[in-house]
Amino acid sequence: MSILEMMNKETVIPERYKTMSVEEIEARVKEIKEKFGTRLYIPGHHYQKDEVIQFADDTGDSLKLAQLSANNNLAEYIVFCGVHFMAETADILTNENQKVLLPDMRAGCSMADMANIEQTEKSWVKLQELFGDTMLPLTYVNSTAAIKAFCGKHEGATVTSSNAKKMVKWALTQKERIFFLPDQHLGRNTAFDLGIPLEAMAVWDPDKEQLEYDGALKDIKVILWKGHCSVHEKFTVANIEQMRNDYPGINIIVHPECSHEVVQLADYAGSTNYIIDKLEEADPNSIWAVGTEMNLVKRLTKVHSDKQVLSLNPDMCPCLTMNRIDLPHLLWSLESIESGSPINQVTVEKEIAHDAVLAVNRMLERA
Ligand code: 13P
Ligand code: SF4
């Protein structure tokens, strides 16, 4: 579902949640959590604010949260503290009597919105005219359920930032080329890591319906959808140069949604879980510049007081859609469950879920 469609389905949070004190809200969240026990499950993505994360039953990156949702048969209600595509994935992987709620329906992902199914299907036809039946579609989980279903139907799979390498490697044993949606950066960084040169990668512009490439058409192995993350795009080569200049010996770690140039200049690149683990094992007194979302960077700075942890871009803003989930929205969601009328339920149409699960399971089997 796109952000526009979500807005149309949106229910507005009642005024009273805005006037309650933090203490009152926290006490009610605790009370409802205790009352529901294992009937209620709150997964929280690492980019969520601390005020929300404190109530998460589990925290994780996209892969871990997908696996946890798939394995949870106990919870009747899953209140997903993350963004819409993550809640959709949870709905796809859970059974029919489990309800997945997103505390604020406006919590979308601008990258996921960069590929819609109509454009994808049209693009596939155009690309088949160029490449015939030689492509396997792969989609980053940061995509709509409809795009996942498209991949499922065409023998493809989903990937996350922590298994992209494994999945791209697998995909290239299935077909000669991959069609990678919607994040060109994750696709390019992963393929390059596997030894595929930049000349063997092309960018598909879905608006112009045009393929951009430098080498020979026949040598193209990876076709990248022209999408990106507007948060990670803000980390630049100039930021890295500045950090290295200001803090000699600094370690630079970034998420692979950053541009190829930034990932190449960084010391390490990986998923949010990878970044967390790397900081965990780092030497005390070491200095780190982290190129990912602000809420996570701030948490790392707080947790690792024995190290110096900075944002790679000091003028960074948080992911605005992730940030829409706050304490009042969490309580609103929980009280709606308590009252017997859950709001903001995320449901993937049966037909779409049927094909999308094929793509997600192909990933989970190999993850
Ligand atoms: P991770 O899978 O690394 O948690 O990334 C999710 C995401 O949306 C990054 O922007
Ligand atoms: Fe989407 Fe980027 Fe926000 Fe991740 S950080 S949820 S990719 S907009």
Side-chain angles (χ1 to χ4, degrees), residues 6-301:
M6 272 181 250
M7 300 287 246
N8 292 336
K9 283 192 78 179
E10 189 200 337
T11 338
V12 179
I13 187 165
E15 272 308 305
R16 71 181 193 84
Y17 291 101
K18 296 179 189 159
T19 54
M20 284 173 85
S21 72
V22 172
E23 292 73 23
E24 273 177 291
I25 300 182
E26 288 183 344
R28 280 290 290 142
V29 171
K30 269 188 212 144
E31 191 184 324
I32 299 172
K33 271 181 66 105
E34 272 164 30
K35 185 167 160 187
F36 278 79
T38 52
R39 287 175 61 209
L40 172 69
Y41 178 57
I42 307 183
H45 186 266
H46 294 308
Y47 290 167
Q48 290 287 294
K49 300 174 183 192
D50 283 348
E51 66 186 52
V52 169
I53 280 292
Q54 64 174 326
F55 292 112
D57 294 306
D58 282 306
T59 57
D61 64 0
S62 305
L63 177 64
K64 187 172 165 197
L65 296 180
Q67 286 165 327
L68 287 165
S69 309
N71 295 335
N72 188 323
N73 301 313
L74 283 179
E76 219 172 297
Y77 301 101
I78 297 173
V79 176
F80 212 109
C81 294
V83 285
H84 194 268
F85 74 80
M86 296 179 181
E88 273 192 336
T89 308
D91 184 55
I92 289 166
L93 292 171
T94 46
N95 41 49
E96 271 182 31
N97 43 18
Q98 295 179 291
K99 290 185 173 53
V100 179
L101 272 63
L102 185 66
D104 186 340
M105 280 304 219
R106 296 169 304 171
C109 163
S110 55
M111 177 204 283
D113 284 346
M114 286 181 194
N116 70 47
I117 187 61
E118 291 76 21
Q119 264 186 328
T120 302
E121 277 171 349
K122 234 168 121 192
S123 302
W124 183 249
V125 173
K126 297 261 174 204
L127 287 167
Q128 281 196 318
E129 285 166 13
L130 291 176
F131 296 109
D133 180 26
T134 63
M135 299 172 293
L136 193 91
L138 285 183
T139 186
Y140 190 17
V141 282
N142 298 32
S143 54
T144 62
I147 302 286
K148 292 182 176 79
F150 170 86
C151 291
K153 246 188 323 203
H154 293 91
E155 310 298 323
T158 58
V159 316
T160 73
S161 51
S162 50
N163 61 24
K165 215 165 150 181
K166 211 183 270 181
M167 293 308 295
V168 169
K169 210 167 163 184
W170 164 78
L172 288 170
T173 63
Q174 305 298 300
K175 292 271 169 145
E176 205 178 312
R177 307 184 161 82
I178 58 162
F179 177 36
F180 192 97
L181 298 116
D183 185 14
Q184 59 169 306
H185 300 304
L186 179 66
R188 185 178 293 111
N189 288 325
T190 308
F192 192 80
D193 238 18
L194 286 167
I196 299 171
L198 294 178
E199 311 80 75
M201 300 185 212
V203 175
W204 173 253
D205 184 329
D207 296 323
K208 294 188 188 145
E209 296 190 348
Q210 205 171 291
L211 194 66
E212 299 161 3
Y213 60 101
D214 290 330
L217 190 70
K218 67 170 180 37
D219 296 334
I220 290 169
K221 301 285 292 170
V222 177
I223 302 143
L224 305 161
W225 187 269
K226 200 172 192 168
H228 64 268
C229 164
S230 35
V231 176
H232 289 86
E233 172 183 72
K234 304 239 161 42
F235 298 106
T236 62
V237 166
N239 291 144
I240 297 189
E241 286 167 353
Q242 186 73 51
M243 282 292 171
R244 295 220 191 270
N245 186 54
D246 294 351
Y247 302 90
I250 196 169
N251 300 283
I252 313 249
I253 187 163
V254 300
H255 195 279
E257 286 175 16
C258 292
S259 73
H260 182 61
E261 295 72 22
V262 165
V263 169
Q264 285 308 298
L265 283 178
D267 300 303
Y268 309 95
S271 75
T272 52
N273 259 16
Y274 172 86
I275 294 174
I276 292 168
D277 291 347
K278 206 78 197 158
L279 268 286
E280 194 65 50
E281 64 201 32
D283 290 337
N285 300 319
S286 51
I287 313 174
W288 292 80
V290 185
T292 198
E293 203 276 340
M294 266 322 287
N295 286 323
L296 176 56
V297 180
K298 275 198 215 151
R299 191 169 309 124
L300 290 169
T301 306

